[in-house]
Amino acid sequence: MKIKQPKMGVEIIGRIPSLGVTKYIRKGSVVTRVSTSNSGRSNSLKQFVQRQRMRHGIALWKRLSPCSPMFTEGKTHYLGFLSLANKLPVVYMPKIKYDVEGSLLMPGIPVSGGTLRTMQQTLGEVDGTPALITDEEASNSLPYSAFLLYTAEQGTGRDDCPEVKFKVRAVQPDEFTFVDGCLALVDSDFANEAKGWALVRLQGKNCSSQGIVTRCKVYEQYTTEEALEEAAKSYGGLK
């Protein structure tokens, strides 16, 4: 909404919900039109799917943002995150769960977006111990880069609503193990099926684009036709 300062008084330009009108300037004159509608909000299947996608993206960002993630390719870190999160599988949760900011751990949740090469990361084992294994050659990056490890954990929040919690820490060079000359982190925690991880490489103000790898499958129950129907019903059904 914009505020125009005329010669006498103040003129508000934009939508004024309390009055049900919109004001705008046309050829130098202020025009007022009714902006309310008596019809219900359209909620087609396509619109509902996109709204569910957006709601989950926003819920994830609220959980991730305290970890100061870097998304340098968007106008803001927030918009950069949403652009990448828009590619995630759609999950369907009833309105009551989104009202308490429900969120689900799934593969690919973006934790960074930048210009450095994306490291391929997999969960496996090194000498029988669970590990996060990358394809990043140690000789190319270890002397010149810093690394952050993001951890995500699926839990349950208020009103038994699914909730993802994120944390981040710096990784010291001596923590790495080398597998065929590539970087790996070895820890029994990498076997935890309620958690996910992403290793991000930093070089100055640049970072790699990375997404979470996880064995967690809780989100799958929210991707079914039944979940879609239940979620749509909680919003008044599809129209």
Side-chain angles (χ1 to χ4, degrees):
M1 182 180 293
K2 297 181 180 179
I3 299 179
K4 179 189 176 185
Q5 183 71 55
K7 293 181 179 179
M8 295 291 292
V10 175
E11 183 71 54
I12 299 176
I13 306 301
R15 185 168 180 268
I16 310 174
S18 61
L19 300 180
V21 299
T22 297
K23 292 190 174 187
Y24 58 95
I25 298 175
R26 176 185 290 173
K27 296 181 179 180
S29 299
V30 176
V31 178
T32 303
R33 65 177 175 82
V34 176
S35 61
T36 56
S37 173
N38 293 325
S39 60
R41 186 186 189 193
S42 176
N43 202 29
S44 68
L45 175 59
K46 184 176 180 180
Q47 290 170 325
F48 181 72
V49 169
Q50 185 54 36
R51 286 168 185 158
Q52 287 280 291
R53 186 191 299 278
M54 182 61 69
R55 288 181 182 111
H56 191 236
I58 293 171
L60 286 173
W61 174 254
K62 288 181 178 179
R63 298 294 179 185
L64 177 63
S65 58
C67 296
S68 301
M70 293 175 60
F71 292 89
T72 61
E73 294 303 281
K75 292 183 178 179
T76 65
H77 295 299
Y78 171 64
L79 293 178
F81 169 83
L82 286 184
S83 177
L84 295 173
N86 198 47
K87 301 173 184 177
L88 293 172
V90 183
V91 290
Y92 306 105
M93 285 195 285
K95 185 177 184 298
I96 190 172
K97 293 186 183 295
Y98 276 129
D99 285 347
V100 292
E101 299 178 356
S103 53
L104 292 159
L105 174 57
M106 61 178 64
I109 294 175
V111 299
S112 64
T115 57
L116 299 184
R117 187 186 76 88
T118 298
M119 295 182 287
Q120 299 301 313
Q121 303 180 24
T122 58
L123 294 171
E125 292 186 350
V126 174
D127 296 330
T129 302
L132 177 66
I133 303 169
T134 80
D135 69 345
E136 182 69 20
E137 294 185 10
S139 59
N140 290 339
S141 63
L142 198 54
Y144 319 105
S145 304
F147 292 87
L148 296 175
L149 180 65
Y150 284 82
T151 301
E153 184 170 9
Q154 182 71 74
T156 302
R158 186 156 53 96
D159 298 328
D160 293 324
C161 184
E163 174 185 274
V164 182
K165 293 184 178 180
F166 293 89
K167 61 183 180 180
V168 62
R169 70 174 182 86
V171 180
Q172 301 305 314
D174 60 4
E175 294 184 62
F176 286 110
T177 295
F178 307 123
V179 178
D180 296 327
C182 294
L183 300 177
L185 292 170
V186 178
D187 192 294
S188 60
D189 198 40
F190 290 122
N192 192 324
E193 295 186 354
K195 290 185 176 182
W197 301 266
L199 185 68
V200 177
R201 182 163 75 95
L202 305 176
Q203 203 165 36
K205 295 182 179 181
N206 298 318
C207 67
S208 59
S209 297
Q210 304 296 157
I212 292 288
V213 293
T214 180
R215 297 187 180 93
C216 185
K217 297 186 183 298
V218 172
Y219 78 96
E220 291 181 350
Q221 63 187 279
Y222 294 91
T223 63
T224 65
E225 287 291 328
E226 291 77 12
L228 189 158
E229 292 174 4
E230 181 181 353
K233 184 178 179 180
S234 72
Y235 284 90
L238 301 178
K239 301 175 183 178

